[in-house]
Amino acid sequence: MTGRTGRPTVPTDPHGATAMKITLDADKCCAAGQCVLIAPDVFDQRDEDGVVVLLDAAPPAEQHAAVREAAAICPAAVIEVQE
Ligand code: SF4
């Protein structure tokens, strides 16, 4: 898709920033909890086994840096970020 300028348009979230979409492969999660420490508004852990729970698959722009960091340091490469 292109905008009026002819340049490709970038998907935006309701806050007007570039959209982010998060997917998890929770089967690989080793319950280290790093993601929860870094981005507690986006990630949580199940009480019973500590496996990651995704609270917000399309977080607002102010969460993006923390989500990128969480994905980068996750020891099991569970978190995939699309922007
Ligand atoms: S940092 Fe990775 S392995 Fe640790 S709880 Fe989060 S998703 Fe699971």
Side-chain angles (χ1 to χ4, degrees):
M1 182 173 20
T2 58
R4 279 181 295 168
T5 62
R7 286 189 294 244
T9 54
V10 177
T12 57
D13 70 15
H15 306 275
T18 305
M20 170 180 276
K21 182 166 179 270
I22 303 169
T23 52
L24 297 179
D25 186 356
D27 290 344
K28 295 194 301 186
C29 177
C30 63
Q34 307 284 24
C35 56
V36 180
L37 292 174
I38 294 171
D41 290 337
V42 178
F43 303 104
D44 199 356
Q45 289 176 279
R46 295 196 303 225
D47 289 338
E48 61 270 30
D49 56 12
V51 168
V52 67
V53 175
L54 185 58
L55 300 176
D56 188 350
E62 58 266 27
Q63 294 292 329
H64 290 185
V67 170
R68 287 187 206 106
E69 185 180 353
I73 68 150
C74 172
V78 170
I79 304 164
E80 184 171 329
V81 178
Q82 295 173 302
E83 299 188 71

